[in-house]
Amino acid sequence: MAGFAADCLPGATSWCVALSGGPDSLALAAAAAARLPTTALIVDHGLQPGSERVAEIARRQAHDLGCVDAQVLRVRVGTDGGPEAAARAARYAALDRARGQAPVLLAHTLDDQAETVLLGLGRGSGTRSIAGMRACDPPWFRPLLGVRRGVTHAACAELGLTPWDDPHNHDSRFTRVRLRSEVLPLLEDVLGGGVAEALARTAAALREDTDALDALAEAALESSEDTLAVASLAALPAAVRRRVIRGWLLRGGAANLTDKQIRAVDALVTAWHGQGGVAVGSDLRQQRLFAARRDGRLTMYSQPV
């Protein structure tokens, strides 16, 4: 934690910890409270019987660990994107509202990073997804991203803490659970161990490359207008060009973009044969957002559903 705070949060005078009551977040709360005034933020998703009791136990544990405050945040989980994505969206929104101006420490470990990389590989989500989670992604910070899950379990045992064992972590209906309990152990056996660490190293290397390409794309996008000149885009390397297109789409109101959508818009530049507009994701209600090529430029427009 000391090295992490110096690198990513040099001016921090307090922080929040997202506390579920599980071993990872309990270990993080203990380490955080030992360094700076810490507020524990406990999200009750209300998805399991007895969730109120689990949240209350976590609140009391936070105080016992020395947190200056502990708040239970009750949320209503929607359905968009499936149960895991909907719960994550509700959780992050609640944490963001409750944190004030303070950074939030999240208890993702190296094992979580390895699972994220495998998910990205399996879904063909592109390098951005395979690059995994960032240790520093304000206001979110992940000081345990280089720590194995076994270390947090051992820390809880040493501190005499009884973590909550979330039944969802053993439910094979969830993809992450099967990755954790079936796929990663098999890879460890077949490849002779060290797979989780190797996946985390791969994510770190890809993140360096991604950051460099993103910086080039951002510089190109800064000088652009509401529309993009096809000739200028065509002169860019493919990896930079698609990032410029992605940034332009997001700036124009797109959301939840897929690699397939970005490549379809890219084809308006590289494989133009008079095709019509490309529908892209957005948060517009009763409207669909499109990107199209007109008079040598990429432009965006919307149509009623």
Side-chain angles (χ1 to χ4, degrees):
M1 285 286 294
F4 171 86
D7 292 342
C8 279
L9 292 166
T13 56
S14 65
W15 45 35
C16 300
V17 169
L19 177 62
S20 68
D24 300 339
S25 61
L26 275 177
L28 178 58
R35 288 195 52 78
L36 289 176
T38 300
T39 296
L41 300 177
I42 303 144
V43 178
D44 178 6
H45 300 85
L47 296 176
Q48 300 180 49
S51 63
E52 300 93 341
R53 179 175 175 275
V54 171
E56 176 58 24
I57 291 173
R59 189 188 68 80
R60 292 201 301 266
Q61 287 176 314
H63 282 299
D64 292 342
L65 289 171
C67 292
V68 296
D69 190 18
Q71 304 172 23
V72 175
L73 313 174
R74 292 186 170 83
V75 300
R76 178 172 293 181
V77 177
T79 58
D80 289 349
E84 292 175 273
R88 182 169 57 251
R91 178 168 61 255
Y92 275 86
L95 292 170
D96 198 30
R97 287 192 299 269
R99 70 180 182 87
Q101 299 300 312
V104 180
L105 308 186
L106 305 173
H108 296 118
T109 64
L110 185 147
D111 298 82
D112 295 308
Q113 183 77 301
E115 292 161 13
T116 298
V117 174
L118 280 179
L119 280 172
L121 283 168
R123 292 169 177 168
S125 305
T127 56
R128 193 177 304 277
S129 178
I130 301 169
M133 298 174 283
R134 294 178 180 275
C136 306
D137 188 20
W140 318 111
F141 297 87
R142 299 176 176 90
L144 302 183
L145 209 53
V147 175
R148 293 301 304 264
R149 195 172 283 142
V151 174
T152 64
H153 285 250
C156 288
E158 184 176 334
L159 293 169
L161 299 171
T162 303
W164 175 50
D165 186 14
D166 186 351
H168 282 175
N169 288 336
H170 307 283
D171 190 337
S172 60
R173 292 176 300 173
F174 297 110
T175 305
R176 270 192 183 270
V177 172
R178 297 198 65 186
L179 283 176
R180 185 177 305 150
S181 61
E182 300 175 34
V183 177
L184 272 169
L186 178 60
L187 287 173
E188 292 279 355
D189 180 50
V190 172
L191 298 176
V195 171
E197 290 86 352
L199 288 168
R201 288 195 302 272
T202 298
L206 279 171
R207 204 156 45 248
E208 290 176 352
D209 293 347
T210 297
D211 287 346
L213 291 168
D214 284 347
L216 293 173
E218 183 62 31
L221 191 59
E222 280 180 0
S223 60
S224 67
E225 303 172 3
D226 291 340
T227 61
L228 295 178
V230 169
S232 298
L233 285 171
L236 296 172
V240 177
R241 182 178 63 249
R242 284 194 287 271
R243 281 169 167 80
V244 171
I245 289 172
R246 178 180 181 274
W248 172 72
L249 290 170
L250 291 173
R251 193 172 67 182
N256 304 313
L257 290 168
T258 66
D259 185 64
K260 183 178 180 180
Q261 290 171 343
I262 294 170
R263 288 180 181 274
V265 177
D266 187 45
L268 298 176
V269 177
T270 62
W272 174 246
H273 50 79
Q275 63 264 44
V278 175
V280 296
S282 77
D283 293 327
L284 295 175
R285 295 185 179 276
Q286 308 302 320
Q287 297 277 321
R288 293 188 73 191
L289 190 63
F290 292 83
R293 174 168 170 164
R294 293 173 180 166
D295 300 323
R297 301 187 73 86
L298 293 188
T299 185
M300 299 179 71
Y301 65 94
S302 61
Q303 288 183 347
V305 176

